[in-house]
Amino acid sequence: MSRQYTLRRAPVSTSIHVDYTAELNEQQLAAVTAPPGPILVIAGAGSGKTRTLTYRVAYLLENGIDPRNVLLLTFTNKAAREMLGRVANLLTVDASGLWGGTFHSVGNRILRRHGSALGYSSGFTIMDREDQKDLINTVVAGAGIDPKEIRFPKGDVLAEIFSFVVNTESPLEELLAEKFPYFLPLLDKIQDVHDRYEKKKKATNSMDFDDLLQKTLSMFQQHERIAEFYRRQFQFILVDEYQDTNKIQADLVDLLACDHRNVMVVGDDAQSIYSWRGANFQNILEFPKRYPDAQVFKIEMNYRSVPEILQVANAAIAANVQQFRKHLSATRESKALKPALVALNDGAEQAQFVTQRILELRDENVDLNDIAVLYRAHYHAVELQLELSRRRIPYQITSGIRFFEQAHIKDVTSFIRFVANPRDEVAFNRMVKLLPGIGNRTAENLWQAWAAGITDPIDNFGERLQAMRVPAKSKTLWTQLAHTLAEIAPGGQPNPPSEMITSIVEAIYDDYAKVNFTNYELRHEDLDQLAVFARQFKDVHEFLSQLALISNVDTEATPVQTDDKEAVNLSTVHQAKGLEFHTVFVIWLADGMFPSSRSLNARDALEEERRLFYVAITRARDELYLTYPHMRFSGGYGDVFQRPSRFLQEIPNDLVEDWQVKRG
């Protein structure tokens, strides 16, 4: 019979230094001072989520909890540092022993201590994505697969597939069927590569980023003594942005908390928008089912937006069935300015409206940095980027590089540049290196052969290319390239740009994109939109000139700015989460655009799109503009009418102001 012996804590000051009642509102205070046990805090947009979590940590420490017994899990190390810094400023208690950081950083710390249980030494290497890609390519070669013989996914794409398998805890076949159906015929080969990759990592004492989660969970499941050690150490677990956790992260939290059940998760189910990268919405939705005795707190006082914007936000999310219902209330006073609902004729007029209104706001002393244009997908901003460049309004892309500077856009336009100017060596090299078996040296040799026989004009691109000698592995696709160039420039005369883009994608680039890009579908949408954008240009040289204008225009010396760092923010809604702006424009609010066409027939997908719309609205502090064009150009159908987004129809008319736009 064993005897239970309790270690008493060293004496600590029992005086409370923080006046929680004065520092927190009533809802925040209830969550911060809740008794131990499972706690779910639903923190609405702009409601002080970080403040609540920070003060909860301070409250635990001031009540005698040893910092070493607290685990704070966040999605960025920066967020953890900021919270711990605030705690240190609040208290006189030394909180340096507290474990705080991302799931991955905590997993790394644990594996450094105990990785030998899985056959890894403490000095294991953590591979970045480039290292991971190289190792996978080595494994593919070792498996006897020649990607130049068959269209086998490249290392980047395989890394993405393997990552999804880990983070969603899904079987490979199921994952391929859902996300990469065009690779299903290669299932056995991909599974073999995955198995070899796992063995190679162990042999080289290396882990990829996902292993920091998967191997930690696996170690806990296989070695009870290690799991028990950390369950005893982490007596209080706090999780930030819980709505963004994936299956494996939720499993880790549940495993560590299974004895004491002192786990507080904080998040907003209405801002769960990352299922496409593995986040599991059910984690936050079903928390009360996994912890039936959980206390649920709602924090609904919003410190960011004016009441008029919050009324629209509340209405926008109301139709979702799967949610914790809440009502955001404003702490700011009304500005008597309702969000604007603006219908335009087409994408070009929408761009003109947005840019003109931006200039007016600038004249009203709204800083360009405090203005954002948000959209569902990159290609929605094509006309807008062109219009901003024309009007010399500086802008920055929060969500990545400019549309026309992306790799897949430049790849396809290299074909067009080449037929427009057969002496364009850069375009020729970029184009031919898309083919298997052609690297820098071969491309240079091919260019020398091409340049030696250039005649003006080129009357048959196909015949000239067919006559050239190329590596055997490239022969089939070289022939396809020759036919494609002959098709897009018959008799040496380029077709209209839009027709060329469609031909290039269908004949060559679509297959290339599938095996080279992890986000193939999004890039395919971009290329469709590029073809639509190009319809306004009949002449290839005018089209290429406009692309150059957008890519190279000098926006530093525009007359509308007073600070050389001032620029309008263009961003997908996904990338804008967590940010806020004085004024927000949400564009292309039409069915099939926002919500996306892929979501229209699936309730779960449509509800996530509605949450995305809610996130877009709640980025705005003072002014909100919701715009949609009546028409858009659609491939071979010409100009088609489109319905306003169903999300707009769910907002009562009296909450928005209808703007009638006319030409002066």
Side-chain angles (χ1 to χ4, degrees), residues 126-360:
I126 301 174
M127 298 183 291
D128 62 19
R129 200 50 172 253
E130 193 67 26
D131 297 331
Q132 187 183 8
K133 180 187 74 172
D134 291 343
L135 189 62
I136 291 174
N137 286 336
T138 300
V139 169
V140 169
I145 299 169
D146 187 350
K148 297 169 185 174
E149 297 287 348
I150 61 172
R151 282 290 191 180
F152 197 73
K154 295 294 193 293
D156 265 351
V157 180
L158 287 170
E160 186 81 355
I161 291 171
F162 298 162
S163 180
F164 269 112
V165 167
V166 168
N167 289 302
T168 62
E169 298 182 349
S170 303
L172 178 61
E173 182 174 10
E174 183 181 305
L175 180 81
L176 290 182
E178 181 184 349
K179 290 191 170 294
F180 304 89
Y182 38 88
F183 290 143
L184 269 174
L186 300 171
L187 172 63
D188 291 342
K189 285 186 170 63
I190 294 174
Q191 183 65 63
D192 179 52
V193 168
H194 183 261
D195 295 342
R196 290 169 179 260
Y197 172 58
E198 288 299 315
K199 292 175 182 175
K200 178 70 79 173
K201 283 189 293 183
K202 198 161 191 176
T204 58
N205 199 38
S206 301
M207 293 191 194
D208 59 38
F209 204 55
D210 297 309
D211 286 328
L212 300 178
L213 299 181
Q214 194 273 329
K215 295 289 189 289
T216 303
L217 180 60
S218 178
M219 181 175 66
F220 286 160
Q221 292 168 337
Q222 295 173 33
H223 300 276
E224 177 59 25
R225 289 182 64 185
I226 300 175
E228 183 184 1
F229 174 84
Y230 284 101
R231 282 200 296 266
R232 288 173 59 192
Q233 175 169 346
F234 300 137
Q235 292 296 306
F236 288 86
I237 301 171
L238 302 95
V239 187
D240 189 20
E241 301 284 11
Y242 190 70
Q243 78 280 349
D244 294 335
T245 54
N246 57 36
K247 180 70 166 61
I248 200 168
Q249 289 165 331
D251 286 349
L252 271 168
V253 171
D254 290 348
L255 187 150
L256 288 170
C258 66
D259 290 343
H260 54 71
R261 297 164 58 77
N262 293 327
V263 54
M264 172 187 270
V265 299
V266 181
D268 184 3
D269 58 296
Q271 296 187 66
S272 180
I273 58 174
Y274 295 119
S275 67
W276 52 276
R277 69 183 190 196
N280 190 337
F281 177 61
Q282 297 303 317
N283 288 346
I284 191 167
L285 203 66
E286 295 184 352
F287 187 86
K289 293 181 182 177
R290 300 203 311 281
Y291 296 87
D293 55 334
Q295 304 168 80
V296 179
F297 298 92
K298 294 180 181 178
I299 304 177
E300 300 167 300
M301 297 294 291
N302 177 283
Y303 292 87
R304 176 186 301 155
S305 306
V306 294
E308 291 79 7
I309 290 173
L310 294 185
Q311 289 173 348
V312 171
N314 288 326
I317 199 65
N320 269 12
V321 174
Q322 297 190 82
Q323 65 166 307
F324 294 102
R325 297 205 174 271
K326 57 185 171 297
H327 184 86
L328 292 180
S329 300
T331 58
R332 294 183 57 194
E333 293 183 0
S334 170
K335 285 188 66 175
L337 180 68
K338 291 182 180 180
L341 180 61
V342 191
L344 291 312
N345 285 332
D346 53 25
E349 188 172 273
Q350 178 179 245
Q352 291 164 16
F353 167 77
V354 172
T355 52
Q356 180 172 312
R357 188 71 193 114
I358 286 172
L359 291 174
E360 291 168 352

Side-chain angles (χ1 to χ4, degrees), residues 333-624:
E333 293 183 0
S334 170
K335 285 188 66 175
L337 180 68
K338 291 182 180 180
L341 180 61
V342 191
L344 291 312
N345 285 332
D346 53 25
E349 188 172 273
Q350 178 179 245
Q352 291 164 16
F353 167 77
V354 172
T355 52
Q356 180 172 312
R357 188 71 193 114
I358 286 172
L359 291 174
E360 291 168 352
L361 287 163
R362 184 67 188 86
D363 289 340
E364 295 166 16
N365 294 319
V366 178
D367 196 300
L368 292 181
N369 289 331
D370 218 5
I371 300 173
V373 184
L374 306 182
Y375 36 81
R376 175 65 183 81
H378 285 293
Y379 68 83
H380 292 175
V382 174
E383 292 101 338
L384 180 61
Q385 289 188 38
L386 181 60
E387 191 64 25
L388 288 168
S389 297
R390 284 173 176 161
R391 300 204 188 198
R392 302 185 68 76
I393 300 173
Y395 65 93
Q396 60 183 0
I397 312 292
T398 306
S399 50
I401 57 177
R402 299 180 181 213
F403 180 86
F404 296 104
E405 294 168 4
Q406 297 176 99
H408 53 297
I409 302 297
K410 296 183 76 171
D411 286 344
V412 169
T413 53
S414 68
F415 290 73
I416 300 172
R417 286 174 52 191
F418 177 63
V419 296
N421 174 18
R423 299 182 186 276
D424 188 334
E425 181 179 357
V426 173
F428 177 89
N429 287 341
R430 186 173 192 120
M431 175 181 70
V432 300
K433 284 194 288 187
L434 297 174
L435 307 184
I438 298 180
N440 290 332
R441 182 173 299 179
T442 303
E444 176 63 24
N445 292 337
L446 288 169
W447 171 253
Q448 295 299 335
W450 171 266
I454 288 182
T455 57
D456 288 325
I458 302 293
D459 55 4
N460 194 316
F461 282 93
E463 284 185 6
R464 285 286 315 276
L465 289 170
Q466 288 277 47
M468 296 172 64
R469 295 182 61 184
V470 296
K473 291 178 180 178
S474 311
K475 191 65 180 174
T476 300
L477 278 175
W478 186 265
T479 301
Q480 181 65 59
L481 173 65
H483 289 319
T484 301
L485 292 184
E487 177 186 328
I488 67 175
Q493 297 302 308
N495 283 336
S498 183
E499 294 177 22
M500 286 198 281
I501 292 166
T502 301
S503 296
I504 294 161
V505 172
E506 290 178 353
I508 292 179
Y509 200 74
D510 201 50
D511 285 339
Y512 172 86
K514 284 177 182 175
V515 300
N516 281 278
F517 297 123
T518 58
N519 55 350
Y520 156 73
E521 290 185 345
L522 293 177
R523 294 184 189 246
H524 188 86
E525 287 180 350
D526 283 350
L527 293 169
D528 285 344
Q529 185 60 29
L530 181 67
V532 169
F533 170 77
R535 291 291 300 216
Q536 61 188 292
F537 306 103
K538 298 302 180 187
D539 178 72
V540 66
H541 299 289
E542 183 187 358
F543 170 68
L544 293 173
S545 295
Q546 287 297 330
L547 297 196
L549 167 69
I550 296 172
S551 297
N552 300 313
V553 67
D554 176 13
T555 57
E556 294 296 322
T558 170
V560 300
Q561 73 180 67
T562 58
D563 180 350
D564 60 5
K565 294 182 180 178
E566 200 181 352
V568 174
N569 300 278
L570 307 190
S571 177
T572 62
V573 183
H574 284 105
Q575 290 290 332
K577 183 174 174 288
L579 304 177
E580 60 180 72
F581 306 91
H582 176 280
T583 300
V584 168
F585 296 84
V586 188
I587 63 174
W588 279 110
L589 284 164
D591 269 5
M593 302 291 271
F594 196 167
S596 70
S597 56
R598 291 194 300 273
S599 70
L600 295 179
N601 298 316
R603 191 192 76 173
D604 286 353
L606 189 61
E607 290 210 349
E608 179 156 334
E609 291 285 301
R610 192 177 283 109
R611 294 195 293 270
L612 193 65
F613 181 47
Y614 172 85
V615 168
I617 292 170
T618 54
R619 299 311 93 200
R621 295 196 305 268
D622 294 270
E623 295 190 31
L624 175 67

